[in-house]
Amino acid sequence: MPRTTLARGGVLLAAAALLTLPVPAQAHVSPEPAVRQPLAPLVGLSARRVELADQVAAAKWFTGKPVDDPARERKLLADVARRSPALGLDPARTTAVFRDQIEANKLVQRALHARWRAHPAERPRRAPDLGAEVRPALDRITTGLLDELRRTWAVRTDGGCAGRLRAAVAHERGPDALHRTGTERALRSVCES
């Protein structure tokens, strides 16, 4: 079996295992001021993008389209690389961040498809319209993420980025373990230090 198939299978098993875990009660954490959480808006946008994976997964479920969409992925990555210099961002770094966003989204989609195959009663009841409903929201998030990458450049390139990112992620409460894992996956390349 090819290594990529094994790796993909491992991701699916891990994601499927997350779906069966009970969702623990969140400990109350008092929010820190925005000044101390400069990465919070970036984390929030990434979390919203991961949550939209549910609608993308549902649309693909009904159409039978695969989770992977290399043409759309290439288009998004080319777009953010093209827009980066005008924002003072390195196109290669920006592309890395958005590649992580895409992989996080696909992780959630694959896990949901696996769940729906195993539990037919949980399948979506309707197919969202990707063109009219989902893609415009994803486009707005893309613009927001680019703006946040520009705004947080100094924070993302200093030695304290990883700690600030962990703190911001801890304050972002996703709906469940799968989406929290997806959000963490989406942010792997945010820190440049």
Side-chain angles (χ1 to χ4, degrees), residues 1 5 20 24-25 28 37 41 51 81 83-84 89 93 96 112 127 134 136 146 148-150 157 180 182 187:
M1 187 177 297
T5 303
T20 62
H28 176 70
Q37 289 289 352
E51 289 171 11
R83 293 164 66 180
S84 293
L89 298 170
R93 294 294 308 175
L112 289 172
V134 183
L146 285 168
E148 284 303 313
L149 289 172
R150 178 195 47 78
T157 56
R180 287 189 296 273
L187 296 164

Side-chain angles (χ1 to χ4, degrees), residues 19 24 31 45 48-49 66 71 86 120 140 166 178:
L19 290 171
L45 286 166
R48 297 300 82 72
R49 193 175 195 289
R140 285 188 299 275
R166 278 192 302 276
L178 173 62

Side-chain angles (χ1 to χ4, degrees), residues 63-80:
T63 62
K65 290 184 178 178
V67 167
D68 291 282
D69 188 347
R72 181 155 297 281
E73 293 168 24
R74 280 191 303 274
K75 183 179 177 185
L76 172 63
L77 295 175
D79 178 53
V80 298

Side-chain angles (χ1 to χ4, degrees), residues 48-61:
R48 297 300 82 72
R49 193 175 195 289
V50 167
E51 289 171 11
L52 282 173
D54 294 29
Q55 292 181 47
V56 176
K60 290 178 180 179
W61 179 265

